[in-house]
Amino acid sequence: MYETIKGDERMITIQHLNEVFQIINGEHADPHRILGMHEVEEKGNHFLVVRAFIPGARSITVVDAATRKKKYPMKRIHEDGFFEVVIAERAEWFRYRLECSDEVGNSWHMYDPYSFSPTVTEYDRYLFGAGTHYRIYEKLGAHLMTFEGARGVAFAVWAPNAKSVSVIGSFNGWNTRRHPMRLLGTSGIWELFIPGLAALDQYKFHIVQSTGHQVDKCDPYAFYAQLRPETASVIFPIRRYQWKDRKWMTARKKKDVYASAMNIYEVHLGSWMRVPEEGNRFLTYTELAEKLVPYVKEMGFSHIELLPVEEHPFDGSWGYQVTGYYAPTSRYGTPAMFKAFIDACHSHGIGVILDWVPAHFPKDAFGLGRFDGTALYEHQDPRRGEHLQWGTYIFNYGRKEVSNFLLANALFWLEEYHIDGLRVDAVASMLYLDFGKNDGEWAPNAYGGRENLEAVEFLKHMNSVISKQVPGAMMIAEESTAWEGVTRPVEENGLGFTMKWNMGWMNDFLSYIKKDPIYRKYHHNHLTFGMAYHYSEHFVLVLSHDEVVHEKSAMIGKMPGDLWQKYANLRLSYGFMYAHPGKKLLFMGGEFAQFHEWNEAQSLDWHLLQYQDHQQMQRYMKALNHLYLSESAFWEMDDNPEGFTWIECDDAASSVVSFIRRSQEKELYVICNFTPEVYPDFRVGVPEAGRYQEIFNSDAPQFGGSGVQNQKPVCSEKMPWNRYENSIRIQVPPLGMTILEKVINQPRNKQQKQKRKTGETSR
């Protein structure tokens, strides 16, 4: 047996030589038990032995790191690069370095990776196994740090069913045998600290799966990744960025989002604007901070919502098939640049909402799928583990480590990147086991039902943790069914989301507005039904990216009639949405009436702004946004029944609706006409006698309208109308919206009175 490993018997201190070959072949699950420095007892004598495995090394010397003078040459006992030295005169462990050289004369020195303690503690492992390690991203992944006196990178990955795992990268020539990791107990976590590595080094985990099949996986917890089509993870020190938004973050904790303005500009960063003169390249995060952020501010939006920026391999997925949950995509720059972009948003008073995808993940070989050879992040049974229509895997929410991965990821974006809210994608697909599936393609829960009980518990747990740990952060559900209590607190058996996309309102309204005005009176309930259930949840009204793709037409293209009517209908649509209770969201391009459907592979059609129609549409949206922000009646009492009252919702024959929006201080009166008819003497009931003046009109000439406006205040009459004792007569524009407020007679101050008495006039 000893003849296989050359050397005298004193040098052969390994009890089982088979383990040497496991190291050499990259199959050992605990290389630290063999490699590194070990205290050995032989015949009552205590001494040290150091072993190293460095493929390609010709010579290695152990050097005392403290004195740098005591050196102990190692002997190569296997030609593949296995070295050992017995240090007979020393019995206690000491810090050492390895001086190495290869066959071509290159030399280097380093701390031995196998001389360090685990960087993941037993308590970390316990919390992770329980699903409650909410900062697990600080332990798993790749972390630059100074550890036990050495600067390097701590690697850790969860792969409980792997036979062996090693770190491969640009620093070791992608050699699968050079840096084997150790398995920490029964946790399933593999760990290794490698000294001497630096930021931007590339790496992957080489996994010998349970089946013996070997794969190279990107790091599920990586903070940065190579630009597609390359797939390696990249070491990045995300904590080095110095934030400048303390005031914003402090105010966020105290803000009542329900009583605040929220008109969201939904953006896909890769196609908002490009640089055609440079190969149609993307804007960087830095350029977006310089161009997108001021534009959003000028246009009067309160928030930017980003389609997923988490790393993804396929542009055509729009970011919804994520492979790097902890990494902002490298398409637009580095993590530090992305943080600076968010900082710029906050400095302009703009909140940032991030699209987040915990419902499913793609099957790319380098990603999460079948990570260690088993269905680790997903279910084994395809009836529970796959979205057939999407070609993706479904997360196994019942596995504690998986739910921990996702919950910690949500916290990561909210805390580490100062994201103000997460829009959670495809919640309905999480809640229902039969979502998008035919009979026989799904398996019921333990009680025979279609509800995904594990996903429900995950959502409740996540939202309850976030509400406590990140006060002021928003969790917004894209949920398209009538699931009860989506935005009800978890303590009241709700899912605990802050808000929910109102998909019902969107479908009803678009169905209505697409119709020729002559037929709208037959579908009047589509216009008004949203208020029947509005107070059941906290809603966001959305005209999102999903409505302007896949041959659904751009927003302007949905509008019926000739060109003038299309623009008038679109102004009316936006006006009605902004006046209606609920927060608002509009997808990019809709603000200047882009005619083409959205295409993620090209820029918005900014050239259209050379034409007057598009200029006027953009001017209208800017005015509407700023009106919305300035008038608290549009948002202060969104979820309070006292904040909204129908004046008239049953006038289907005229296709006109009118209603009141209220704040604590004032009322606004909104009249919307969904026909091309002008109503020159339209009577509207008002709750109080007085004078009423128009403050906004979608038919104003500067917006491209026909100019049917109420230029002067109108006085109420003692004429009962719409269940009120008083009423006013106004002009109602064609396919238009007008907003009025009651004129408040301000008392003159003493100085004004004195000037009148003395005959003085002010300039």
Side-chain angles (χ1 to χ4, degrees):
M1 178 180 292
Y2 289 140
E3 292 179 359
T4 306
I5 302 291
K6 299 179 180 179
D8 61 60
E9 292 192 15
R10 282 281 320 265
M11 293 174 56
I12 307 303
T13 58
I14 304 172
Q15 294 182 353
H16 304 288
L17 294 180
N18 182 52
E19 293 189 87
V20 175
F21 293 107
Q22 287 180 340
I23 295 288
I24 293 170
N25 295 328
E27 299 174 349
H28 205 293
D30 188 12
H32 291 70
R33 192 162 68 87
I34 305 301
L35 302 177
M37 180 177 285
H38 298 271
E39 299 177 11
V40 178
E41 179 182 0
E42 182 180 302
K43 298 179 181 180
N45 296 318
H46 294 267
F47 53 91
L48 298 176
V49 61
V50 180
R51 307 183 195 96
F53 177 61
I54 303 179
R58 181 187 65 185
S59 66
I60 305 177
T61 300
V62 175
V63 181
D64 188 320
T67 66
R68 299 187 181 182
K69 294 181 179 180
K70 295 184 177 180
K71 298 186 177 184
Y72 308 95
M74 304 183 77
K75 290 190 177 182
R76 183 164 62 178
I77 58 176
H78 192 280
E79 59 186 7
D80 277 15
F82 197 100
F83 291 76
E84 183 184 64
V85 62
V86 174
I87 306 175
E89 68 270 26
R90 303 186 71 163
E92 294 184 359
W93 189 93
F94 60 90
R95 172 64 68 203
Y96 65 95
R97 295 172 67 87
L98 300 177
E99 290 184 352
C100 312
S101 64
D102 61 20
E103 298 293 343
V104 295
N106 297 316
S107 61
W108 67 97
H109 57 86
M110 63 182 186
Y111 287 107
D112 185 356
Y114 300 92
S115 66
F116 293 90
S117 306
T119 57
V120 181
T121 68
E122 289 189 19
Y123 187 55
D124 291 323
R125 288 141 54 185
Y126 165 76
L127 291 177
F128 183 54
T132 57
H133 199 315
Y134 303 137
R135 304 294 183 276
I136 189 61
Y137 56 84
E138 295 178 346
K139 295 295 182 175
L140 298 187
H143 300 274
L144 279 163
M145 64 172 65
T146 299
F147 184 64
E148 295 181 350
R151 185 69 178 167
V153 175
F155 294 94
V157 63
W158 180 58
N161 300 299
K163 288 185 176 180
S164 65
V165 182
S166 62
V167 182
I168 59 175
S170 55
F171 44 84
N172 63 14
W174 304 94
N175 190 311
T176 61
R177 300 185 299 161
R178 177 66 184 85
H179 287 111
M181 306 176 78
R182 63 177 153 201
L183 180 62
L184 300 177
T186 60
S187 67
I189 295 174
W190 300 76
E191 180 271 347
L192 180 66
F193 178 76
I194 304 180
L197 303 191
L200 303 183
D201 281 345
Q202 301 163 4
Y203 70 100
K204 282 188 177 182
F205 294 116
H206 178 76
I207 299 176
V208 179
Q209 296 179 328
S210 55
T211 60
H213 180 63
Q214 300 185 28
V215 294
D216 296 337
K217 293 284 190 176
C218 67
D219 179 4
Y221 291 85
F223 294 145
Y224 191 34
Q226 283 184 299
L227 178 63
R228 53 93 179 94
E230 302 302 323
T231 58
S233 302
V234 179
I235 298 167
F236 200 90
I238 60 169
R239 291 282 168 82
R240 291 180 184 175
Y241 182 80
Q242 297 295 316
W243 287 95
K244 307 174 185 66
D245 63 348
R246 177 187 290 183
K247 289 183 179 179
W248 174 274
M249 296 299 289
T250 301
R252 188 176 87 175
K253 296 177 182 179
K254 303 174 182 178
K255 186 176 184 178
D256 181 354
V257 296
Y258 300 119
S260 301
M262 184 180 297
N263 53 332
I264 305 164
Y265 188 57
E266 189 186 30
V267 177
H268 177 258
L269 292 181
S271 58
W272 180 74
M273 185 180 290
R274 292 201 177 188
V275 186
E277 58 271 24
E278 297 181 23
N280 200 36
R281 69 166 175 83
F282 300 124
L283 294 180
T284 66
Y285 293 122
T286 303
E287 291 168 326
L288 287 160
E290 296 168 350
K291 296 182 179 182
L292 172 61
V293 176
Y295 176 78
V296 170
K297 181 67 173 178
E298 180 186 357
M299 286 297 296
F301 291 99
S302 66
H303 291 72
I304 295 174
E305 182 169 315
L306 304 176
L307 267 64
V309 301
E310 299 92 329
E311 193 58 80
H312 54 282
F314 178 47
D315 290 5
S317 77
W318 310 337
Y320 287 98
Q321 294 194 8
V322 179
T323 52
Y325 273 81
Y326 287 82
T329 178
S330 55
R331 286 167 174 81
Y332 320 124
T334 68
M337 292 165 65
F338 184 52
K339 287 187 174 184
F341 168 80
I342 297 166
D343 230 346
C345 290
H346 290 170
S347 71
H348 283 76
I350 297 168
V352 182
I353 301 168
L354 177 63
D355 228 327
W356 186 60
V357 193
H360 63 124
F361 59 93
K363 296 181 178 181
D364 298 73
F366 64 90
L368 296 177
R370 301 299 194 263
F371 194 80
D372 61 2
T374 65
L376 190 62
Y377 287 86
E378 69 274 27
H379 286 275
Q380 180 69 42
D381 186 342
R383 296 177 301 167
R384 296 290 299 275
E386 292 188 42
H387 275 305
L388 299 179
Q389 67 183 49
W390 295 340
T392 54
Y393 288 127
I394 301 171
F395 281 105
N396 182 352
Y397 307 104
R399 192 159 195 169
K400 298 296 186 182
E401 296 89 346
V402 175
S403 63
N404 200 155
F405 169 80
L406 291 170
L407 199 164
N409 186 241
L411 286 167
F412 171 79
W413 291 108
L414 296 171
E415 295 186 326
E416 188 63 43
Y417 278 88
H418 293 196
I419 295 293
D420 300 293
L422 298 177
R423 178 266 196 186
V424 184
D425 179 63
V427 171
S429 76
M430 299 171 67
L431 295 175
Y432 296 100
L433 295 166
D434 62 346
F435 181 90
K437 297 183 177 181
N438 301 315
D439 291 343
E441 294 178 347
W442 64 281
N445 63 33
Y447 303 99
R450 57 195 283 257
E451 299 81 10
N452 189 334
L453 303 179
E454 296 167 342
V456 172
E457 181 58 32
F458 162 71
L459 292 172
K460 288 182 175 182
H461 182 197
M462 175 185 68
N463 287 329
S464 63
V465 170
I466 288 173
S467 67
K468 293 179 176 65
Q469 296 203 13
V470 197
M474 297 177 290
M475 297 297 290
I476 304 171
E478 190 237 350
E479 203 283 310
S480 55
T481 74
W483 186 282
E484 186 177 355
V486 172
T487 60
R488 188 187 306 150
V490 173
E491 295 77 12
E492 299 175 16
N493 200 34
L495 294 183
F497 283 96
T498 315
M499 297 176 194
K500 169 182 172 175
W501 273 24
N502 195 336
M503 311 294 280
W505 176 89
M506 177 197 68
N507 288 322
D508 285 348
F509 180 72
L510 291 180
S511 172
Y512 176 86
I513 203 68
K514 289 177 184 177
K515 291 178 170 58
D516 188 296
I518 198 172
Y519 301 115
R520 286 175 179 170
K521 61 185 177 182
Y522 304 114
H523 304 275
H524 195 70
N525 63 311
H526 285 177
L527 197 60
T528 60
F529 182 63
M531 287 309 302
Y533 59 85
H534 173 76
Y535 301 108
S536 64
E537 303 278 3
H538 300 289
F539 283 117
V540 181
L541 307 186
V542 295
L543 295 173
S544 73
H545 66 279
D546 276 329
E547 306 316 308
V548 293
V549 291
H550 302 323
E551 300 184 356
K552 295 178 184 177
S553 176
M555 284 301 301
I556 186 69
K558 300 178 193 297
M559 304 298 128
D562 59 25
L563 190 61
W564 186 92
Q565 290 185 349
K566 285 181 180 294
Y567 279 100
N569 270 303
L570 189 58
R571 292 192 302 270
L572 173 60
S573 297
Y574 293 157
F576 177 72
M577 178 176 78
Y578 270 61
H580 193 287
K583 309 309 180 186
K584 327 297 177 190
L585 178 142
L586 180 66
F587 186 59
M588 64 182 196
E591 77 275 16
F592 61 86
Q594 173 169 308
F595 271 92
H596 286 136
E597 282 191 335
W598 170 55
N599 181 352
E600 87 285 342
Q602 65 186 45
S603 169
L604 295 181
D605 293 339
W606 294 105
H607 63 276
L608 293 176
L609 288 173
Q610 66 184 300
Y611 303 111
Q612 185 181 45
D613 287 346
H614 298 280
Q615 293 173 8
Q616 291 170 333
M617 191 69 228
Q618 187 186 52
R619 186 181 305 134
Y620 172 75
M621 277 310 302
K622 180 178 178 180
L624 182 62
N625 275 327
H626 283 283
L627 175 73
Y628 170 81
L629 294 179
S630 65
E631 295 289 355
S632 60
F634 286 132
W635 39 263
E636 186 180 281
M637 302 174 70
D638 261 335
D639 300 305
N640 186 335
E642 295 182 4
F644 175 91
T645 301
W646 285 114
I647 298 174
E648 180 57 75
C649 63
D650 295 325
D651 189 2
S654 298
S655 295
V656 175
V657 294
S658 53
F659 51 88
I660 303 172
R661 293 303 313 274
R662 296 187 184 89
S663 66
Q664 296 291 344
E665 298 180 352
K666 71 185 305 184
E667 293 182 344
L668 296 178
Y669 305 86
V670 182
I671 301 93
C672 297
N673 174 17
F674 289 88
T675 76
E677 299 295 322
V678 176
Y679 295 108
D681 193 25
F682 195 85
R683 190 172 289 276
V684 180
V686 291
E688 295 181 358
R691 296 166 67 238
Y692 292 79
Q693 65 182 5
E694 185 176 87
I695 64 169
F696 192 82
N697 191 315
S698 68
D699 196 48
Q702 64 265 33
F703 304 142
S706 62
V708 178
Q709 297 173 270
N710 299 278
Q711 300 288 0
K712 298 179 180 180
V714 294
C715 294
S716 65
E717 304 173 39
K718 193 67 175 180
M719 170 70 73
W721 207 262
N722 302 133
R723 298 172 299 281
Y724 292 115
E725 293 299 318
N726 299 279
S727 59
I728 57 175
R729 291 184 298 169
I730 62 171
Q731 293 191 90
V732 177
L735 296 173
M737 175 191 74
T738 180
I739 302 174
L740 300 96
E741 67 178 2
K742 190 170 183 288
V743 178
I744 304 298
N745 293 321
Q746 298 292 339
R748 297 181 179 90
N749 60 36
K750 293 181 179 179
Q751 183 179 9
Q752 290 174 320
K753 291 180 180 179
Q754 184 64 32
K755 286 183 178 181
R756 285 189 176 273
K757 288 180 181 180
T758 60
E760 293 179 26
T761 58
S762 59
R763 294 182 180 177

